[in-house]
Every structure is written in structure tokens, then in C-alpha cells.
Amino acid sequence: MNIEEFKERIEMGEEFQFYYLDESYWISQNEEGLYLTRERDSNSQSFKTTDELFEKGTIDNKKIKEIWDEIDI
């Protein structure tokens, strides 16, 4: 899956667990927004839209698109 398909599937309401550097993360959502959460400590970032998630969401101070090739879904 490429990053555009990943983003489209999130926009359709899918939720994902993925791994980056052997750490587990979740992208989840509810009626109030989307959440990027690190499983280890439940550190969570919240966003109003999918675009905001991909523009402002970070893992190790890097945006998802910057580390896409290192993400294991």
C-alpha cells in the first residue's frame, strides 16, 4: 500500500495499527477526530481531519510521509 491509499482508507473510516522502529502505533478515530497513539505509553496526538493528521502528526519529530518507507503495516 502506498501512502495515498493509506490516507484514503483512513478517510473512509479505517483504523490501523502499524510499527515504526519496532514500536507499535495506532491511528484510530471517532466522531470527534482522529488519533495517533503510541501503544507503549498511550501517548496520543489528536486531529480534526485526515489532512491535519498527515500535516501535523509526528513520530520521533518526523511526519508520517517522511518515515513512510520505514513503517510496517
Side-chain angles (χ1 to χ4, degrees):
M1 164 177 6
N2 65 38
I3 194 165
E4 290 304 318
E5 182 182 354
F6 184 61
K7 185 176 176 182
E8 287 173 12
R9 289 175 66 176
I10 292 169
E11 286 175 342
M12 292 187 311
E14 284 191 57
E15 298 182 334
F16 287 92
Q17 178 181 21
F18 64 91
Y19 298 88
Y20 173 69
L21 299 180
D22 295 324
E23 285 213 63
S24 176
Y25 294 85
W26 282 94
I27 293 178
S28 59
Q29 51 191 303
N30 62 27
E31 58 278 342
E32 295 177 16
L34 296 102
Y35 305 90
L36 172 60
T37 305
R38 184 173 52 211
E39 185 174 6
R40 170 176 43 98
D41 58 4
S42 298
N43 183 336
S44 186
Q45 301 169 54
S46 61
F47 307 96
K48 295 290 184 194
T49 66
T50 304
D51 285 335
E52 185 180 14
L53 166 67
F54 280 84
E55 290 170 13
K56 297 182 180 178
T58 60
I59 296 173
D60 290 343
N61 295 314
K62 299 174 188 169
K63 294 180 182 178
I64 293 172
K65 66 182 177 183
E66 295 175 304
I67 59 171
W68 179 252
D69 291 335
E70 300 171 66
I71 290 177
D72 183 23
I73 297 177

